[in-house]
Amino acid sequence: MYTDSNEGGHPKLDTGPDDNELLARVRRGDRGAYAELVRRHAPMAMRTAALLGAGGEAEDMVQEAFVKAYAALDRFRPGAPFRPWLLRIVANETRNLHRASGRRAARERRSWELAERLLLTPAEDPVEVALSLERREALVRALAMLSPAHRQVVTCRYLLDLDEVESAAVLGWPRGTVKSRLHRALARLREVLDADPQQAPAREAAHDD
């Protein structure tokens, strides 16, 4: 199986046990197996928390999510995919953070501002920076025009590269809702890009989806 990218940006082949094997060992009392699950899924969990607006609290959110996941393993169905279940806990922890931070509109705006800074962080590869920065800036400007729900579904499907089933699990929506909201989000994104000449570098990417 493949895990998160290595330093060169390419996926690493993980020749170790799969998640179900590790979970079976955890249930038998092997804490080292859970440490392996944490190592395997922490990078994706961190990115999820950051893109959903946790900002500087992302590490704390992820740590809390892993603690809660461990405590809830007796309610986790054996054989079910672990990653989307974990990421839903991460998403819930991030939403709880926003709920504690003030009124809904203010926390949604703050959430997007935090995610926006992450998306605009330049890549380390100078060639990639030259090719992608203008397009990235255009897409981020367009994403800012979407509703929070539409930004969330685009984030899950395209920025986190989750499939439809995983996105539904993470967002806590029915699969049909993910599909319909994604369709409307992409339509709105195209409208925004087409209406703004400054967004031309990103227009082709949106129309390709």
Side-chain angles (χ1 to χ4, degrees):
M1 65 180 295
Y2 286 92
T3 60
D4 293 275
S5 298
N6 58 21
E7 293 181 358
H10 302 292
K12 298 182 293 185
L13 181 62
D14 189 339
T15 57
D18 65 22
D19 287 354
N20 287 330
E21 292 177 63
L22 289 171
L23 287 166
R25 286 165 47 189
V26 173
R27 291 188 174 96
R28 294 195 297 267
D30 184 351
R31 293 188 178 183
Y34 196 70
E36 173 63 17
L37 284 169
V38 171
R39 181 200 65 78
R40 179 176 291 173
H41 294 288
M44 183 62 162
M46 283 288 293
R47 182 167 174 80
T48 299
L51 285 174
L52 292 179
E57 304 286 341
E59 186 173 353
D60 289 340
M61 295 299 98
V62 169
Q63 289 179 354
E64 184 66 18
F66 275 114
V67 170
K68 289 189 174 182
Y70 184 82
L73 281 178
D74 59 338
R75 301 193 298 274
F76 179 68
R77 180 170 58 84
F82 178 74
R83 185 175 79 161
W85 181 72
L86 170 68
L87 295 184
R88 181 169 184 175
I89 297 174
V90 172
N92 287 341
E93 288 300 304
T94 304
R95 281 192 288 270
N96 290 339
L97 173 68
H98 296 159
R99 191 172 295 117
S101 299
R103 294 189 304 173
R104 179 177 179 179
R107 70 174 183 266
E108 286 176 345
R109 182 170 60 253
R110 177 176 176 273
S111 172
W112 173 246
E113 289 171 352
L114 292 168
E116 190 177 49
R117 288 200 293 270
L118 176 67
L119 292 172
L120 289 173
T121 300
E124 295 182 1
D125 185 343
V127 176
E128 184 179 346
V129 170
L131 293 174
S132 67
L133 182 57
E134 187 176 5
R135 172 174 286 185
R136 186 187 302 120
E137 289 175 342
L139 283 172
V140 168
R141 286 196 300 270
L143 285 168
M145 303 295 291
L146 301 182
S147 70
H150 286 170
R151 278 201 301 270
Q152 288 173 5
V153 72
V154 171
T155 294
C156 284
R157 290 289 282 116
Y158 293 104
L159 303 182
L160 295 173
D161 200 26
L162 303 178
D163 63 28
E164 196 172 272
V165 174
E166 289 178 316
S167 297
V170 170
L171 295 169
W173 301 344
R175 188 172 175 180
T177 300
V178 170
K179 184 178 294 186
S180 62
R181 286 184 178 174
L182 180 64
H183 177 77
R184 290 196 293 271
L186 292 178
R188 174 59 180 153
L189 195 60
R190 293 184 187 106
E191 289 176 3
V192 172
L193 293 173
D194 286 340
D196 185 355
Q198 293 184 7
Q199 313 244 28
R203 189 174 297 139
E204 180 181 349
H207 280 289
D208 286 343
D209 291 324

